[in-house]
Each structure stands twice: as C-alpha cells, then as structure tokens.
Amino acid sequence: MKKIDWDNLGFDINAAEKMFVANYKDGRWDEGEIVDYGKISIYPSAVVLNYGQGIFEGMKAYRTKDGRIAMFRPYDNAKRLNMGCERLCMPTIDEDFFVKSIESLLKVNEDYIPPYGKGDLYIRPILFGSGEMLGVNPATEYTFIIYMSPVGPYFKGGFNGIKLEIRKDYHRAPLYGSGGIKAIGNYAVSLYPKKVVKRNGYDEVIYLDAKTSTYIEEVGSANFFMLKDGVLSTPRLSGSILPGITRDSVLKIARDVFGLTPLERDIRYDEIYDADELFCTGTAAVITPISLVAYDGEEHTIGDGRPGEITKKMYDELKGIQLGEKEDRYGWFYEVK
Ligand code: PLP
Ligand code: COI
C-alpha cells in the first residue's frame, strides 16, 4: 500500500490501489471487474472526448469509531446518476449493481479509508460514452469506472469559514440545461470563473440564475444555505441547481431535529449581506461556513465572521449520523459488511 500522510489530507488525488470497471456494449452492461488503478485506453473519437457525454457522482466511505465502514444514502447517488444518464442519452445502471460494486471495491481498498477522525475515503463513480462517433450522437458503448481516494477537507482552512464572490458575469448553468445533473461539462465551464475569483482572493463563486442574474443558485461545488432572523432558507430546485443529497439531508434535519421550518425559495443575492449565518453543503464540502461574501468590490462579513451556532450544530448532527453516532431516523447510515 502507498504511504499516506493521514494527518495532512487535503482534497487531492491519492488513488487507492484498485478500481472497478464495467463496460456497456450491444445493449447491455457486463458484470464488471476490479483491476489495478491506472491509465485507461480510449479512442480519440470517443463521444466523451469530443462532445462531453459523461457524468460522475461523489460519495464517501467513513470509518466509524468502532472500526466499521459506512456510507451515506448511496442509493440516492445511484438514482441521481441515472437521472443524469437519461438526460445525456446514456444507459442507466442498476441501483443494486451500483451500490454493490462500490461495496466490493471498498472491501479491497479498505486500508485506504482514513482512521477515525482523520478524513474519509472519497468515492468517485464516472460513466461516459467511450464508443466512437463522428456526428453529434450518443455513443453505442459506455464505460463505468469507480475509483477512490482518501481525502480531508475540500476547502483549505476547513471549518473556519470561506470567502465567496458573487458574480453576475459568469453563469454555471441555464434553465433547461444540465445544471440539475452532474454532467462533466458543468465543471469545465466553472473552471474559469473559479480562476477569476481566486485571483481576487476568494475561495469560490456564488452563481446567480442565468436568466436574470438576481437569484442565488449555488456555490461551484456545493449548495447554499442562509439563516436569517431564525429562518433557514435555500434556493429552490429550479432545474439548474444540483439536487444535493446533503442539501436534502440538511432540510430534513432542520425540520425534524432542530424544529425549524426551512424554506426553499428564490433568494436575491443582496438579501444575504446581513444574514446571521451562511453555509454551503456537499459530500466534499460537508457543511462549510461562509464567513464573507463579496460583490462588485464590496465585502460583507457574515455575522461576526466566525462559524454560526446553527452551522456548527448542523455539522455535528450530519457528521454524527454519517458516523453512526447520532440517531438515524431516516435510514441514511449504510454499513458495509
Ligand atoms: N452542487 C454541485 C454543483 C455539486 O457538484 C455538488 C456535489 O456533488 C453539490 C452541489 C452537493 O451535492 P451532494 O450534497 O449530493 O454532494
Ligand atoms: C462532491 O461533493 O462530491 C462533488 O462532486 C463536488 C466536487 C468535488 C466536484
């Protein structure tokens, strides 16, 4: 096994030794196999390389305090992947096959799951059109790969809060486009806006709706939440926002555990300047506090600039459920046996 510095994990590739590969040909998926992680060979005319026919998922495996291996709502990732496959004219994958393939790979990569409290094993399933095509048409052959990498916090500085810049001049996804699925192209177009805001000293972009540049959509790789006057709000799923599994979990925890009445609504970008707390949510981001937002050269510190009470409580509750330490009233905790 590779040597891994468990105490200094970031969100970097440190691929676990094995990966899972399945192929789709003549109208069916094969049973797949576990092979060494490494380069794959692909035709230059593969549809994914020419026309971006590809999708991915993001999940984690957790090491519990008593040494068990757990995942969080893995069937929801399977469902979301399949929704995306439909939109991109790719064959769907059986949900049980998806989850069982991850489980069998986790068993052989078990040593790469960070020790309790040091990080998690990030799971990256990808599915793409590997068959040849010259015209703009769906491929007839597809490849499904799962690889894994131990990771720490997605944002450097982790739980202290991140600084975001609202941009009207770059959009992530238009309505009726591919924003609601994890299409690989969505991330390609986010690279440049991220570069621009990084140059300005911020961690990520807050994207606005592509039609009016007025309402918050999400952060480049996470969903957005605001607490203001005791009300928790998040942008409604307009179609161009990714339906995050963490977002859904936070809404349910807010309602059932914290007794809040969360709202899914349109949030104007200038409503957030005097919010009490802001945070973003995702598999990689978990619950990351937002300490400052900037727009057009003006900076607005959120609250006292430190992580808010509800943000911290939400992080503890979510992590607690993921690690099997808090009551799991929804059946989200998934033990790999
Ligand atoms: N928004 C985008 C654009 C993402 O890439 C992700 C990550 O998957 C999320 C939101 C959060 O989704 P989830 O909570 O399912 O990880
Ligand atoms: C995740 O949170 O798993 C994501 O996919 C976001 C990002 C790393 C692209």
Side-chain angles (χ1 to χ4, degrees), residues 56-58 77 80 122 172 179 182 187 218-223 242-247 281-284:
F56 71 97
E57 268 303 326
N77 293 91
R80 186 170 64 189
Y122 190 74
R172 196 187 83 93
K182 282 180 77 77
Y187 300 83
E218 58 176 301
V219 179
S221 47
N223 294 112
L242 193 81
I245 294 161
T246 322
R247 174 189 179 279
T281 67
T283 301

Side-chain angles (χ1 to χ4, degrees), residues 47-268:
V47 181
V48 66
L49 295 184
N50 293 263
Y51 304 125
Q53 195 190 23
I55 195 158
F56 71 97
E57 268 303 326
M59 308 160 72
K60 279 176 173 172
Y62 308 91
R63 175 76 69 188
T64 67
K65 202 181 238 169
D66 57 7
R68 291 177 295 156
I69 304 170
M71 290 196 281
F72 186 68
R73 307 183 64 174
Y75 279 88
D76 291 285
N77 293 91
K79 289 192 177 72
R80 186 170 64 189
L81 179 87
N82 281 336
M83 263 173 41
C85 287
E86 299 273 1
R87 179 66 178 82
L88 297 181
C89 294
M90 304 198 290
T92 56
I93 204 153
D94 180 78
E95 289 176 17
D96 284 317
F97 176 77
F98 177 87
V99 175
K100 300 294 165 205
S101 307
I102 294 173
E103 283 189 73
S104 49
L105 188 62
L106 275 174
K107 284 178 194 152
V108 299
N109 283 333
E110 178 170 355
D111 290 348
Y112 287 84
I113 305 175
Y116 177 78
K118 303 273 187 195
D120 310 299
L121 185 62
Y122 190 74
I123 303 167
R124 177 52 65 83
I126 59 178
L127 197 159
F128 54 90
S130 44
E132 297 183 272
M133 190 65 68
L134 194 55
V136 181
N137 293 302
T140 53
E141 292 176 15
Y142 293 86
T143 303
F144 172 61
I145 296 180
I146 309 165
Y147 65 89
M148 304 178 163
S149 176
V151 294
Y154 185 66
F155 291 104
K156 282 199 189 78
F159 203 71
N160 294 323
I162 53 171
K163 298 178 180 178
L164 304 180
E165 186 173 16
I166 300 168
R167 299 295 304 204
K168 284 200 174 189
D169 48 355
Y170 300 107
H171 291 134
R172 196 187 83 93
L175 193 56
Y176 312 132
S178 59
I181 60 170
K182 282 180 77 77
I184 57 178
N186 297 345
Y187 300 83
V189 295
S190 76
L191 297 174
Y192 188 73
K194 186 168 172 181
K195 181 171 156 182
V196 170
V197 304
K198 284 251 172 202
R199 209 158 53 202
N200 294 345
Y202 304 105
D203 297 295
E204 252 291 3
V205 186
I206 294 184
Y207 287 98
L208 303 178
D209 73 283
K211 193 168 177 193
T212 69
S213 292
T214 308
Y215 302 105
I216 295 192
E217 293 254 301
E218 58 176 301
V219 179
S221 47
N223 294 112
F224 179 89
F225 279 84
M226 167 174 84
L227 185 82
K228 190 167 167 178
D229 302 326
V231 181
L232 187 69
S233 311
T234 192
R236 71 187 166 83
L237 295 178
S238 58
S240 48
I241 295 173
L242 193 81
I245 294 161
T246 322
R247 174 189 179 279
D248 180 73
S249 308
V250 164
L251 286 170
K252 294 195 165 93
I253 292 169
R255 190 189 62 211
D256 301 338
V257 183
F258 297 173
L260 299 170
T261 309
L263 300 178
E264 295 175 78
R265 65 173 178 91
D266 290 332
I267 302 177
R268 281 185 62 94

